[in-house]
Amino acid sequence: MPSHRVPSEADVISTVEFNHTGELLATGDKGGRVVVFQREPESKNAPHSQGEYDVYSTFQSHEPEFDYLKSLEIEEKINKIKWLPQQNAAHSLLSTNDKTIKLWKITERDKRPEGYNLKDEEGKLKDLSTVTSLQVPVLKPMDLMVEVSPRRVFANGHTYHINSISVNSDCETYMSADDLRINLWHLAITDRSFNIVDIKPANMEDLTEVITASEFHPHHCNLFVYSSSKGSLRLCDMRAAALCDKHSKLFEEPEDPSNRSFFSEIISSVSDVKFSHSGRYMLTRDYLTVKVWDLNMEARPIETYQVHDYLRSKLCSLYENDCIFDKFECAWNGSDSVIMTGAYNNFFRMFDRNTKRDVTLEASRESSKPRAVLKPRRVCVGGKRRRDDISVDSLDFTRKILHTAWHPAENIIAIAATNNLYIFQDKVNSEMH
């Protein structure tokens, strides 16, 4: 679904999220807009058409603001979108920029009332003296309208920039995390939240790490995890104490002294953490690797996958152009057997946990044509080059895939590449099942 105009900064996609059924897909961008795509139902005439996602609704979620106390501009960029489990015919989602979280309701209308007694067709009040008989208004069909309305605004909860939001499995509460604090909100209450983690030191000069991401456990409403810039994960239990500064479990891999370098701490910072659908494992992404952790084993990850190890020798130039601070996300497939994450040059990586096979694929105009098959790509580091291999020196670091999402049940993936959204699906059983 690539667009063909010159991208403006406002069009750059900043988050991608499927809803719980996978029928809807939402993207947020740097211009504060949310675009919701809906999956087309399969038609008898074209059995292969199912899976096409078309624009369902577009709305402006956030506007740029100004914090007069701190003389700071607050960007409209959407940092995260989270869908709420569907309770009725309407859909609801949370969207957040750096400071303010909003709850949006998306409804459909395909009928309109006609035949009012006191109003004419244009909605103006009639002269009551002309009303001589009463009629029962009727609902007449009309063209489908998708209406989006702001239901609640959760403001003033964060001093620092919000990096993640997560809806609890109790469907009543959610949490929001910034660099130093995590707050717990009730979805119905906007004027107060409870601070559940606070790592801000008394003296900011003693600050050694920040919170980078957080997520609720998919099944246990009392458990949540947050990751840090030092590469550690802390699992917290809200039953233990109101303030979860003392974690229940600390997941941290001891550093290999032989790999120690100036960049060690930067590249070990966790940019994303995701619980598996089963709730047994956690997936984390740092600059060079993705790791799978077992909730029952804190000492080290049970699996580590190299995303782009060929960049290890390029860290100096990546530091100079700030790419080393890029925050890549990671995703599980519906059965927790395959994991996906993005890389540079519009490449994205998939790792099959069972077969231990991995593949590099590219999101490009060519690969987005109907029925096009994604060809595996290879990056070579010096030495012999096979045809179609790409040299590590010719990788384009401005084309990066930071945001990805996997359909909760099917092999359909959404890839955000700058201002383009690519949706790929596995028609049969492809190499990465």
Side-chain angles (χ1 to χ4, degrees):
M1 242 170 252
S3 60
H4 292 273
R5 57 202 167 84
V6 177
S8 75
E9 185 70 8
D11 294 329
V12 172
I13 297 170
S14 51
T15 184
V16 190
E17 190 80 13
F18 280 103
N19 75 337
H20 296 265
T21 61
E23 293 305 299
L24 298 177
L25 170 69
T27 66
D29 65 24
K30 287 192 173 179
R33 291 180 299 263
V34 172
V35 182
V36 179
F37 299 86
Q38 184 183 45
R39 192 177 184 188
E40 289 296 300
E42 189 170 350
S43 69
K44 290 191 174 71
N45 309 336
H48 292 292
S49 70
Q50 200 201 2
E52 299 295 319
Y53 282 80
D54 290 329
V55 174
Y56 180 60
S57 176
T58 303
F59 60 96
Q60 189 73 31
S61 170
H62 287 68
E63 303 278 358
E65 292 174 66
F66 194 79
D67 184 335
Y68 291 97
L69 281 175
K70 296 192 177 124
S71 293
L72 281 177
E73 204 167 330
I74 301 165
E75 281 187 308
E76 65 271 41
K77 173 189 161 211
I78 308 294
N79 290 345
K80 285 286 183 284
I81 290 172
K82 289 291 175 204
W83 291 91
L84 272 57
Q86 198 174 352
Q87 311 282 1
N88 49 35
H91 296 277
S92 299
L93 62 81
L94 289 168
S95 63
T96 185
N97 67 350
D98 283 342
K99 298 285 181 185
T100 306
I101 304 149
K102 297 185 181 181
L103 173 62
W104 297 90
K105 185 179 180 184
I106 305 167
T107 50
E108 287 185 359
R109 221 167 47 153
D110 60 357
K111 292 184 175 65
R112 66 164 187 265
E114 276 184 16
Y116 284 113
N117 291 295
L118 304 179
K119 286 192 282 192
D120 62 18
E121 294 304 311
E122 285 162 10
K124 293 192 187 117
L125 277 175
K126 290 182 187 171
D127 179 357
L128 295 183
S129 60
T130 63
V131 179
T132 55
S133 62
L134 294 178
Q135 58 183 351
V136 178
V138 291
L139 287 170
K140 292 276 181 73
M142 59 178 253
D143 289 340
L144 180 70
M145 267 178 63
V146 179
E147 295 178 335
V148 180
S149 54
R151 301 301 300 214
R152 292 189 181 81
V153 176
F154 305 88
N156 307 321
H158 288 275
T159 309
Y160 307 98
H161 290 179
I162 297 170
N163 55 46
S164 45
I165 50 176
S166 178
V167 180
N168 199 344
S169 59
D170 65 10
C171 301
E172 286 190 355
T173 56
Y174 76 91
M175 70 177 173
S176 55
D178 66 24
D179 298 333
L180 298 179
R181 298 189 180 106
I182 301 176
N183 292 339
L184 180 70
W185 302 81
H186 193 286
L187 283 160
I189 301 167
T190 57
D191 60 354
R192 65 181 179 274
S193 61
F194 296 99
N195 179 229
I196 51 174
V197 172
D198 187 346
I199 65 165
K200 183 175 184 276
N203 181 356
M204 283 296 269
E205 287 176 10
D206 299 331
L207 184 68
T208 57
E209 63 181 332
V210 293
I211 298 166
T212 54
S214 68
E215 191 178 54
F216 268 121
H217 190 280
H219 312 305
H220 300 301
C221 62
N222 52 291
L223 294 179
F224 68 92
V225 67
Y226 69 92
S227 57
S228 92
S229 55
K230 276 194 161 175
S232 59
L233 300 172
R234 289 174 174 85
L235 186 72
C236 301
D237 189 340
M238 292 193 292
R239 295 173 303 186
L243 191 63
C244 299
D245 286 356
K246 292 190 172 65
H247 50 265
S248 303
K249 289 189 173 188
L250 173 66
F251 299 81
E252 203 167 29
E253 187 170 26
E255 192 185 24
D256 180 357
S258 63
N259 280 342
R260 179 91 192 132
S261 76
F262 170 75
F263 306 108
S264 295
E265 195 160 305
I266 302 172
I267 64 171
S268 67
S269 176
V270 175
S271 54
D272 195 19
V273 58
K274 293 270 175 37
F275 278 107
S276 62
H277 296 83
S278 67
R280 171 74 189 267
Y281 304 103
M282 294 180 296
L283 178 63
T284 61
R285 171 71 206 256
D286 57 38
Y287 192 63
L288 295 177
T289 67
V290 275
K291 295 172 181 172
V292 177
W293 301 79
D294 188 324
L295 254 63
N296 301 331
M297 192 170 93
E298 295 146 78
R300 60 184 181 279
I302 54 168
E303 297 158 29
T304 299
Y305 301 97
Q306 300 297 332
V307 177
H308 38 207
D309 203 45
Y310 45 79
L311 295 183
R312 206 173 278 278
S313 60
K314 299 257 178 278
L315 293 177
C316 202
S317 54
L318 291 164
Y319 178 75
E320 283 166 8
N321 64 17
D322 278 352
C323 284
I324 201 167
F325 302 107
D326 285 335
K327 293 176 169 51
F328 292 94
E329 294 171 7
C330 50
W332 297 90
N333 72 339
S335 61
D336 300 333
S337 60
V338 182
I339 53 185
M340 168 175 66
T341 192
Y344 292 107
N345 212 66
N346 274 10
F347 288 168
F348 59 98
R349 301 272 284 137
M350 287 187 174
F351 303 93
D352 189 312
R353 298 180 58 212
N354 300 325
T355 63
K356 299 298 181 222
R357 284 196 305 192
D358 67 280
V359 67
T360 301
L361 300 168
E362 182 180 7
S364 66
R365 291 270 159 81
E366 289 65 47
S367 62
S368 66
K369 291 181 178 130
R371 308 227 184 334
V373 177
L374 286 176
K375 288 203 298 281
R377 304 298 307 263
R378 271 170 47 94
V379 177
C380 70
V381 188
K384 280 191 196 162
R385 261 178 75 181
R386 288 196 280 185
R387 204 166 66 85
D388 288 346
D389 277 9
I390 182 162
S391 157
V392 69
D393 294 316
S394 56
L395 292 173
D396 185 346
F397 291 105
T398 61
R399 295 164 68 231
K400 54 190 95 171
I401 291 175
L402 303 176
H403 313 288
T404 60
W406 203 310
H407 187 290
E410 297 178 42
N411 275 348
I412 298 174
I413 55 173
I415 306 285
T418 321
N419 65 315
N420 294 325
L421 176 68
Y422 295 92
I423 296 174
F424 300 114
Q425 60 178 325
D426 185 358
K427 287 291 187 189
V428 226
N429 285 337
S430 70
E431 186 184 7
M432 298 302 292
H433 174 52

